[in-house]
Amino acid sequence: NYLRPDGKRVHTVRDVIAEVNPENGRVVDEWRLADILDPYRDNVLKVLDQGAVCLNIDASKAGQTLSEEDIKALDKSEKFGDIVGTGAGRNWAHVNSVDYDPEDDSIIISSRHQSAMIKIGRDKKVKWILGSP
């Protein structure tokens, strides 16, 4: 239930990290990556094989990639969900793992579609990014 800057209300996809109280299952904190990172960073999205595993695309797209024009057209469309694209409501981050660092009360995430490891503090500020700019 995320309100994008363009006014569209969407469900986010693999881009919210929730900290849950293990005793009662309630959410204690959350990291909304679309508010912390740039959900329109698309350089990795342009090289992903659209027939690859985890993209929910049919095998007939194997070997095909998205162009700048494809990504811009998709951003104007009303297609949301677990599809590769930019902006909240599409699979722009694809977080695969999260680890907590008690040394400085931060998390480290692995983002497949940003091809990076990212450390984010409790203050929701990026501490570092390990990956190509």
Side-chain angles (χ1 to χ4, degrees):
N1 195 18
Y2 182 86
L3 183 62
R4 291 169 37 123
D6 61 9
K8 295 176 183 172
R9 189 165 296 279
V10 298
H11 294 286
T12 61
V13 179
R14 302 177 203 223
D15 65 355
V16 175
I17 312 303
E19 177 183 4
V20 178
N21 180 317
E23 294 174 18
N24 61 23
R26 292 202 171 114
V27 173
V28 175
D29 200 357
E30 63 180 22
W31 288 257
R32 295 177 139 226
L33 298 181
D35 294 336
I36 299 168
L37 302 170
D38 177 6
Y40 290 94
R41 182 177 179 273
D42 63 3
N43 54 331
V44 175
L45 301 178
K46 293 178 196 166
V47 298
L48 290 174
D49 184 328
Q50 294 301 292
V53 174
C54 296
L55 293 186
N56 297 335
I57 307 286
D58 66 56
S60 68
K61 303 255 182 178
Q64 297 177 25
T65 57
L66 294 174
S67 68
E68 182 82 25
E69 295 76 31
D70 294 333
I71 291 173
K72 284 182 181 177
L74 182 59
D75 194 48
K76 293 176 184 167
S77 82
E78 294 296 322
K79 288 179 78 177
F80 293 99
D82 196 4
I83 56 174
V84 174
T86 56
R90 297 188 182 93
N91 195 351
W92 66 273
H94 194 108
V95 173
N96 276 331
S97 63
V98 180
D99 194 21
Y100 175 68
D101 186 351
E103 292 289 320
D104 61 358
D105 195 28
S106 63
I107 61 170
I108 301 170
I109 66 168
S110 168
S111 173
R112 177 181 191 242
H113 291 176
Q114 295 301 309
S115 192
M117 299 282 293
I118 305 159
K119 186 171 191 172
I120 306 168
R122 174 94 42 201
D123 62 0
K124 313 306 184 274
K125 303 286 185 211
V126 174
K127 292 182 175 282
W128 52 255
I129 297 175
L130 178 61
S132 176

